[in-house]
Amino acid sequence: MADYQPPLADAHFLLNSVFDLPAQWAAMDDLSEINAELAAAILEEGGKVCAQVWAPLNRSGDEAGCQWQDGAVSTPEGFREAWQTFAEGGWVGLGGSVDYGGQGVPKGLTVLFEEMQYAANASMALYSVLTAGACLALNSHASDDLKTTYLPPMYEGRWAGTMCLTEPHAGTDLGMLRTRAEPAGDSWRLTGTKIFITGGEQDLTENIIHLVLARLPAAPDGPKGISLFVVPKFLLDNAGNPGQRNGVQCGSIEHKMGIRGSSTAVLNFDDAVGYLVGEPNEGLKYMFTMMNYERLSIGIQGIGHADWSLQQSLAYAHERVQSKAADRKLRTEERADPIVVHPDVRRMLLTQKAWVEAGRALAVHVGSQLDRAKFHADADVRRRAQGQVALLTPVAKAFFTDRGLDSTVLGQQVFGGHGYVREWGMEQAVRDVRIAQIYEGTNGIQAMDLIGRKVLLNRGEWLQDLFADIREDLAAVVNTDFADEAAAVEQLMTELEQQVQQWLDSEDPNLAGTQAYNLMELIGLLTYGWLWLRMAAAEGADELDKPATARFYFAWLWPQTAALMQRLACDSTVLMTPRL
Amino acid sequence: MADYQPPLADAHFLLNSVFDLPAQWAAMDDLSEINAELAAAILEEGGKVCAQVWAPLNRSGDEAGCQWQDGAVSTPEGFREAWQTFAEGGWVGLGGSVDYGGQGVPKGLTVLFEEMQYAANASMALYSVLTAGACLALNSHASDDLKTTYLPPMYEGRWAGTMCLTEPHAGTDLGMLRTRAEPAGDSWRLTGTKIFITGGEQDLTENIIHLVLARLPAAPDGPKGISLFVVPKFLLDNAGNPGQRNGVQCGSIEHKMGIRGSSTAVLNFDDAVGYLVGEPNEGLKYMFTMMNYERLSIGIQGIGHADWSLQQSLAYAHERVQSKAADRKLRTEERADPIVVHPDVRRMLLTQKAWVEAGRALAVHVGSQLDRAKFHADADVRRRAQGQVALLTPVAKAFFTDRGLDSTVLGQQVFGGHGYVREWGMEQAVRDVRIAQIYEGTNGIQAMDLIGRKVLLNRGEWLQDLFADIREDLAAVVNTDFADEAAAVEQLMTELEQQVQQWLDSEDPNLAGTQAYNLMELIGLLTYGWLWLRMAAAEGADELDKPATARFYFAWLWPQTAALMQRLACDSTVLMTPRL
């Protein structure tokens, strides 16, 4: 197995050449201390922790899995020490609020660090990103008191965070959840069962801070009657340290296809003490602060696995010798050549590469829009950036992870039979990435969110903002070698504009559901095309072979837009008529 | 988990309405005893064994896996008894030669039975189909003596068969294999190491008959110096019963992503006694008799997993209640509807259905061509059918299994988080089907075989034969509701004809490799389109809702041909230029 190499060169290229984020950071008060050198140092050091401390535990963690006994969960051997090293380096709070002990590093940078975490060891990464996400929700919506109490030890990685949403009968449809919260003086008492809770029980941290959705007595039915609570595993003593055990128990953990070093818990809340976050009945909105963060992050999980798999398959394709090159020019004295010479193997490697690098670029773009939305001085800029984040988050979550599966499957395929046996790890990447298409809202739900709330609800306004950004960049490409590709991107936008108008005029209640996935994939392909053009034109592009990969992208992967545009002509009868 | 239901109604529809195979069988001496009633009885009884004896061991077999100790392999609990029941029913030799105790059932029928085996328990199925494939190679190429000795107990399932090709440094490129055979009187002595040998060691049968590729002393270099040997695990005593242990040992078995109840062995041959099959140096050709059989069979593995997964996801979509239908018409008093009402869920289910049912139809078509190629009285008919088998086998192997992965991934996705935990079995189907894209020649190799040996080498002759068959059927559809779809099929054929001409005129040595996968997928989509038109027009189509599914196929899946046709415009520079 080849050692994992954090993609530092590509990261620097994106940060500095493609997006020039240091200049953007300099213009925002809260981020002005971060410059290109500091950013490089952060990624280099963070990459080392991932590659040297986490990655060596990825295979063994999969083999061992988490173990449940009498309500306690032990993580695989080595995870505790590796978590300790990570936490002590300050990496859990890297993007956290400086007011409470976080490092305040911009999202446009931390997305790259998240990718490295997932690539090195996704099971470990989940403990970290869930904690960071829980902190974000608390920082955005909780009282100063709760923030002062919980954020510092969570940023330090001494305590971890979870998000407790799903119940056996309420997954996608959270409005049906039944966990109840009864008032008890200053706090609340929660009772109910939550399932599929990532990191719901583990032995890495001194405490676990559950963010739990529950209903107050007499709360309105459905999603508008859900409140958000902080429920610590251990109640805090007067000194603020973990003391008495709270009424939450881990009933079991799931036996899963992958991410086996990540514990996925059934949590039974039985009169557990909880603290209300913000206002009653606003819980789902608050939780979406965390969920949107996690959705982008889980998208990035797809990129992480895909890049790890690509690094392996590239190395293997250069080592494995099998059959002569068709032009028989290489190594003429040898019986066979490394398989990287064969076009059908290159098809697989290039597909992986084109997905990974465009995904990484879009992740940085969305991350930088998150920074703008939060920190920019101009309210209009903030609002516009918020729209872009809202629009692109479901695309990032679904498109990154779908391409993540494609990429890891291709990486495995390059290995032939060796890809199917466990020792090389190629099959683990497939199993591990597969969850990313499912959790944090299935990719189908992401597509519904995109077409419904993010496109049709605002009559395409955010989509128009995206297209305006793209058109600005296309203007710079018109007189280059990529003029044809730019024209194709422009044409797709024009067709999508017309299509959205038609949908807005339709009265077919099932049309949005019919077209949701097609639109998600089209926006994914469109943004990747845009970013390939940007990357191909950026300074330093040749050194990283970006123009040739961009050419491949448009010749080989972009044609998928033609298939999807044909599907857009369908009304809902094609899906609703057949008997199922 | 829903019980597996053998697809008997669809099987009868294909056999009788779509292809009218009983009439074809009646016209061929060797098959004339098989009529529609007998065929139905065979499938019904065979389906029972699969569903009732094999399927219940599928999950437990995955959990337990095969275990290796001191050179012996134990299969999962229950496998021995289940194999016994299967073998005693005569199912191993169902398609075998009647001269040696087989049942002589036509391939157009046995393909349907193979699908049921894979759907019920792919790990078990592999022991059976490998044995049947080894019998086929022996029956076609071995001496009467070898056939008399080995075929009857193999057809009875008392002995099993394997195919020993791959070596550590020689997988795709078998010409590099090093296992040597030295003469020793009437027999030979074989020495070498084979890996990835399915069923190479197990505890189901009294003996294991290895078909082994090896080199004679001073054999020509490369693929033309390979001979085929029979190497039994136990040498036979004078009564023809297993006696002394032969010099072949199982060094270990692989730990794999899936098909964990199937043992995948490393076999060390050390001066093992072997018997030459046919002529020296003709081994690879003989082995292809078995490999082509296995390739079709492995394609069918893809359909089997896909159908099992579809049956599960359909049942779940009718049970699982989550969110209201967009038109809110159903169950108006309820808070939510079964998820089968949601168009995006129907997209997934219909995609599964359209792939499965067209794949099954193509499998029956290829099977019936195999019967013609073998049994038809007219040599021209036989030759033409042989061409169709050669052309369509790599398509069946690669396209069925790629769509098998797609389908099982979709089936898993319908289950949401429950699809990722092991208990439902949805993730096992994904893990189990994944191998089918890899073994018996990776799907990339199938695509190379198709474009090189099956299309360009004969200047498109076999492709023209296929198109002629399709055009004959299209004529019947021209004045129906499916006239537009028929025109699309015709147009694709015309474009492909032009394309093949251009390729024949090209001198780009990497062009075939560049376009191989695209062509494979196009022929797959084309044949599925053809068969959807045939199915939609056949008697009884409405009862099985074929027209609506055909409509879905052309509206939703056929557009992929547009993307692939755009890729066909690429020369090899798009893949060969980027640095990798």
Side-chain angles (χ1 to χ4, degrees), chain A residues 171 322 346 420 431 434 575 578, chain B residues 171 322 346 420 431 575 578:
Chain A
Q322 206 80 169
R346 299 176 71 85
Y420 198 67
R431 289 187 289 107
R434 183 68 187 89
L575 298 182
Chain B
Q322 206 80 166
R346 299 175 71 84
Y420 198 68
R431 287 186 290 108
L575 298 182

Side-chain angles (χ1 to χ4, degrees), chain B residues 52 217 485 489:
Chain B
Q52 295 173 10
E485 286 82 355
V489 171

Side-chain angles (χ1 to χ4, degrees), chain A residues 6 12 106 162 262 277 298 304 345 382 487 516 544 554:
Chain A
H12 298 158
T162 75
S262 164
V277 175
I298 292 312
V345 172
R382 287 202 304 275
L544 294 168
F554 279 99

Side-chain angles (χ1 to χ4, degrees), chain A residues 412-454:
Chain A
Q412 184 186 22
Q413 193 74 17
V414 169
F415 275 68
H418 299 280
Y420 198 67
V421 298
R422 293 220 293 260
E423 64 180 293
W424 291 89
M426 302 307 289
E427 61 88 34
Q428 184 188 342
V430 174
R431 289 187 289 107
D432 283 356
V433 79
R434 183 68 187 89
I435 187 58
Q437 301 174 289
I438 297 172
Y439 60 12
E440 301 303 334
T442 64
N443 285 359
I445 291 297
Q446 303 301 324
M448 293 292 291
D449 177 51
L450 173 70
I451 199 169
R453 278 187 289 264
K454 310 301 175 59

